Amino acid sequence: MKRGFSLIELLMVIGVIGLLLAVMMPSLSRAREQARVVAVNSDLYQIGLCLEMYMDDNRGIHPPTRQDCFMGWEDHQLPPELAEGGYLPGVSPTTEMTARIEDRFHHGHTYKYWSVGQLYQNNRYMERIRASLLIPAGFPASEGEPQEDIEYDDPDKSPVTWVIFSQGPNYDDWETLKILNGPVPKRTWYSPTKRRGLIVRMRLRNGRQIGTFEE
């Protein structure tokens, strides 16, 4: 006659399974996060190509930056010109998203766009105010101290033309990002060890594009 498991043996098995799950869950969570980071990087690469096509069709002019003082993380959405021109899929007019491409780390929101030059604030074109980016001294080869950062609002002089970025995992410091005047400084970028930061792609003045994982 076969003997069944005793209660103690069952509890031991359950305990071992629980211990294995406790050990494996952080690794699984990190793996899922890394998969999303890779997917976001691919999305930004594709959006970067769309921006290049837009510029090719518009005499090298990039879309303006749009700011909305009341929208928080909705601020700095992707340029609606990309969807209107067919470079990105459009969305229903009932949504506040400017294109049907969602930030994988921020449900219901597009990726963000920040450029140098023309600026719209609260849907009004600003004739006397220009969008600007804070660029670290020596960027992208190196970065000096924060006090050496330089603010550019002229696309002909700025080392960076535009930036597209994802909120990334565990980054919610929008106020600091505004103080830094854009996500160009690498201290805002995603760090696999800290598991926090923005995932970024940008166009340099020479036309080359770089991102969080390529320089």
Side-chain angles (χ1 to χ4, degrees), residues 43-185:
D43 287 346
L44 296 180
Y45 179 84
Q46 296 299 324
I47 296 171
L49 293 180
C50 293
L51 281 164
E52 289 294 343
M53 288 189 288
Y54 175 92
M55 293 177 67
D56 287 343
D57 294 340
N58 290 273
R59 305 185 306 279
I61 298 173
H62 57 273
T65 295
R66 282 177 166 78
Q67 296 176 346
D68 192 316
C69 301
F70 307 103
M71 295 181 72
W73 271 107
E74 287 284 5
D75 200 10
H76 286 274
Q77 290 205 78
L78 289 176
E81 291 88 349
L82 296 182
E84 292 166 359
Y87 304 95
L88 286 176
V91 294
S92 166
T94 59
T95 178
E96 293 182 338
M97 291 175 60
T98 55
R100 196 168 66 247
I101 181 166
E102 186 178 69
D103 186 342
R104 296 173 188 265
F105 283 102
H106 199 199
H107 178 67
H109 301 261
T110 69
Y111 294 107
K112 307 302 177 191
Y113 171 83
W114 202 315
S115 66
V116 174
Q118 291 186 319
L119 172 67
Y120 281 80
Q121 284 187 342
N122 302 327
N123 295 320
R124 292 180 56 190
Y125 176 66
M126 309 303 292
E127 294 185 4
R128 299 183 179 181
I129 304 175
R130 296 169 67 85
S132 61
L133 283 168
L134 200 66
I135 314 294
F139 185 88
S142 62
E143 285 198 16
E145 296 300 317
Q147 61 268 23
E148 298 175 336
D149 294 350
I150 304 172
E151 186 173 344
Y152 291 89
D153 63 6
D154 185 345
D156 293 329
K157 296 179 180 179
S158 174
V160 177
T161 306
W162 49 253
V163 187
I164 46 178
F165 59 102
S166 163
Q167 179 177 339
N170 307 313
Y171 191 93
D172 58 1
D173 198 353
W174 185 240
E175 290 305 316
T176 297
L177 190 62
K178 285 188 174 182
I179 292 171
L180 289 174
N181 211 30
V184 175

Side-chain angles (χ1 to χ4, degrees), residues 191-211:
S191 166
T193 54
K194 295 180 180 178
R195 301 183 65 183
R196 185 178 188 273
L198 304 173
I199 304 167
V200 176
R201 187 167 189 83
M202 65 189 68
R203 183 186 192 273
L204 304 182
R205 187 171 59 194
N206 61 12
R208 186 166 68 95
Q209 291 191 25
I210 64 171

Side-chain angles (χ1 to χ4, degrees), residues 3-14:
R3 184 179 69 86
F5 290 106
S6 68
L7 178 60
I8 294 177
E9 289 172 330
L10 287 173
L11 290 175
M12 289 179 62
V13 170
I14 293 172

